Amino acid sequence: MTTNEPDPTQQNTEKIKEFLQTLLISSGLEVEFKILTRDGKVQTEARTSAQAPPQPSPEISVEFIGPDTSLLTARNGELLHAIEHLAAKLLRLEPDQHDRISFDAENFKALRNRELELIAQAGAERVRATHRPYAFPPMNSRERRLLHLALAAAGLPTASSSDGPRRFVVAYPEGEQPVEAPKAPSTHDRTRAIRNSFRRR
């Protein structure tokens, strides 16, 4: 006798659907969404016709449409990335698994990816011209990863520096050893250090 095991992708899709429905109702954002899985099958469809996800690699893709999509993509997609990050937390995805889902609006990510390619190209040219490391502006983890990949393809070593929203990528001349800046101590580490200083007294 065989049992039908629940489909993890279908379960995650349902979780994302419930999360977005609650979010949109509470936020008042005038947007709709459709959810597609890697095989292109529409799981939740808005009033528009289904389209294949722009990047087939994610297991689940979400596309937003509607009057307020500009709010999602403002400030380099800050709100869009925040919603995607919350969904990843909801699904208990590790940081290196966040590429399993992708949220987009008005083809923002495809356009941003192209912009990042040009930024990486310009940075690589500057490093080669000056023979000095070049620091890119702070970016989220997804965009930093794309920069690392683009610069590695150009033959330049890279490292990330700083913490949280200030974290950025540094490109180094060929053959130079990247310097990975130490992260600032966590709140837990600082609390423990303060307690230890009092104990020593």
Side-chain angles (χ1 to χ4, degrees):
M1 182 176 178
T2 60
T3 58
N4 294 326
E5 294 292 333
D7 179 8
T9 301
Q10 179 65 37
Q11 290 180 326
N12 288 341
T13 299
E14 289 301 319
K15 289 179 182 179
I16 290 177
K17 175 184 175 181
E18 293 174 7
F19 162 67
L20 290 178
Q21 288 175 334
T22 302
L23 175 70
L24 296 182
I25 290 173
S26 60
S27 68
L29 285 171
E30 292 188 46
V31 295
E32 300 168 357
F33 65 89
K34 60 175 178 281
I35 305 177
L36 301 96
T37 54
R38 180 177 287 167
D39 60 6
K41 180 180 177 183
V42 178
Q43 298 295 324
T44 302
E45 189 174 2
R47 287 193 290 267
T48 58
S49 60
Q51 296 177 352
Q55 294 179 325
S57 55
E59 293 178 10
I60 300 173
S61 297
V62 177
E63 180 69 26
F64 292 99
I65 56 173
D68 286 346
T69 52
S70 60
L71 298 177
L72 299 178
T73 59
R75 300 179 64 179
N76 286 331
E78 186 175 63
L79 182 54
L80 181 67
H81 291 307
I83 295 173
E84 182 181 271
H85 180 75
L86 289 174
K89 290 292 186 183
L90 173 70
L91 301 182
R92 300 179 185 274
L93 299 179
E94 296 296 330
D96 60 351
Q97 298 176 317
H98 283 197
D99 287 345
R100 290 170 57 182
I101 63 174
S102 178
F103 287 29
D104 205 355
E106 296 182 344
N107 214 26
F108 169 81
K109 278 190 176 178
L111 296 173
R112 178 61 176 165
N113 288 353
R114 178 55 183 157
E115 182 181 358
L116 288 171
E117 290 175 8
L118 296 174
I119 290 173
Q121 181 180 344
E125 291 174 355
R126 180 165 179 172
V127 169
R128 290 195 176 100
T130 63
H131 304 287
R132 298 179 62 181
Y134 175 73
F136 293 85
M139 297 179 187
N140 61 49
S141 59
R142 174 188 167 275
E143 293 185 344
R144 290 197 310 272
R145 180 175 178 272
L146 292 175
L147 268 189
H148 283 300
L149 293 173
L151 293 165
L156 298 183
T158 60
S160 291
S161 185
S162 193
D163 296 288
R166 300 185 305 275
R167 198 157 174 80
F168 58 91
V169 173
V170 181
Y172 293 84
E174 294 181 48
E176 187 170 328
Q177 186 67 29
V179 178
E180 190 77 33
K183 292 186 177 181
S186 65
T187 303
H188 176 73
D189 292 336
R190 288 195 297 269
T191 302
R192 185 169 56 185
I194 292 171
R195 287 176 178 169
N196 288 339
S197 68
F198 278 105
R199 286 172 184 161
R200 286 195 294 267
R201 295 177 186 176

